[in-house]
Amino acid sequence: MRRKFVGLFLSAALLAPVHEVWAGDYDVEEWIGRVKPYTSGASSPTPDARAKLLTELSVATEDRSSIDRIRKADSVAAVIGSSLILGNTDDPIARKAASLVIINLVDNTTICLVTDHLRRNNGLNASFQLNLLQAIRLVGSYAYRENVTDVVGTIDDVERRLPTDADQGRRLVASIRETLAKNTENGTSAIPAALNDARTRRCPGTSSK
């Protein structure tokens, strides 16, 4: 079943070509292959192609079962990574669809993809950056110790770069700090070994010490 709020910003014209995207058997690997020319820099998608690709994926990642299925596979890193690249656009339809995918899929094993993207990209669309911060806030409520440290460093970097008039961004950063404080007030656990292994595969260069 499609979430009601998806229809609020994804037009009928874009949803029509998606046909019936059944989350249970949607081929994520095939989607990754279709967007690879764009995410690798070999070519650039037209605005319409970008919006349709991201809309299709957002529809396919709406229900709990499909989210769980995609999260279990290491290809989730390519899905989130591609959405991070394609979502950095002035087109609100494509941007919001990408943000929905990221917010739905990100967890303790993939939040490192979002924090790394925020740290490395100074030229992010301002609205997209806010959406990525919202994804961080969501995971921050249940993040393990290593990810809490990573998130704190990331929002410190982001806050230093915010323009003086970026009130919404500063409020969101403050909200993330409050979320982390609530999460850590009774102490946080180290990330379990199995999750840390997945995190390391999906975000090379990260591991618990």
Side-chain angles (χ1 to χ4, degrees):
M1 180 179 295
R2 291 176 179 170
R3 290 182 180 177
K4 291 182 179 179
F5 62 83
V6 174
L8 293 178
F9 61 74
L10 300 182
S11 69
L14 283 171
L15 286 173
V18 175
H19 305 297
E20 289 299 326
V21 178
W22 297 105
D25 55 12
Y26 183 74
D27 192 342
V28 173
E29 300 286 349
E30 191 270 341
W31 183 88
I32 293 171
R34 279 191 283 139
V35 302
K36 189 172 183 179
Y38 308 137
T39 57
S40 67
S43 61
S44 298
T46 64
D48 188 54
R50 182 193 300 262
K52 286 180 179 178
L53 283 165
L54 290 169
T55 298
E56 176 183 321
L57 184 62
S58 71
V59 171
T61 55
E62 289 176 353
D63 67 276
R64 186 75 256 171
S65 62
S66 66
I67 291 170
D68 290 343
R69 178 176 61 85
I70 295 170
R71 278 179 170 177
K72 288 178 181 177
D74 283 340
S75 57
V76 68
V79 174
I80 293 174
S82 298
S83 299
L84 286 167
I85 293 171
L86 295 175
N88 187 32
T89 174
D90 292 334
D91 175 18
I93 294 175
R95 186 176 66 243
K96 291 176 181 177
S99 300
L100 180 62
V101 171
I102 294 165
I103 288 171
N104 277 344
L105 294 180
V106 74
D107 62 10
N108 267 293
T109 70
T110 51
I111 189 62
C112 41
L113 295 168
V114 179
T115 55
D116 181 66
H117 199 74
L118 281 166
R119 285 182 167 184
R120 290 189 298 104
N121 291 274
N122 293 327
L124 283 176
N125 174 279
S127 294
F128 192 49
Q129 179 170 271
L130 289 174
N131 292 344
L132 297 185
L133 289 172
Q134 290 172 351
I136 284 179
R137 181 174 59 182
L138 178 65
V139 177
S141 65
Y142 62 91
Y144 287 104
R145 183 186 307 149
E146 296 81 3
N147 285 332
V148 169
T149 300
D150 185 30
V151 167
V152 169
T154 299
I155 61 176
D156 285 347
D157 286 351
V158 170
E159 190 170 33
R160 281 193 291 268
R161 298 198 307 259
L162 288 174
T164 55
D165 60 348
D167 295 338
Q168 187 175 3
R170 295 185 191 283
R171 287 194 299 270
L172 186 49
V173 167
S175 177
I176 294 171
R177 295 192 194 280
E178 291 176 6
T179 298
L180 293 175
K182 290 178 181 178
N183 180 22
T184 59
E185 61 186 5
N186 295 317
T188 54
S189 304
I191 188 168
L195 290 181
N196 187 58
D197 288 344
R199 177 174 175 260
T200 302
R201 290 193 306 272
R202 297 166 184 184
C203 305
T206 65
S207 62
S208 61
K209 302 297 183 183

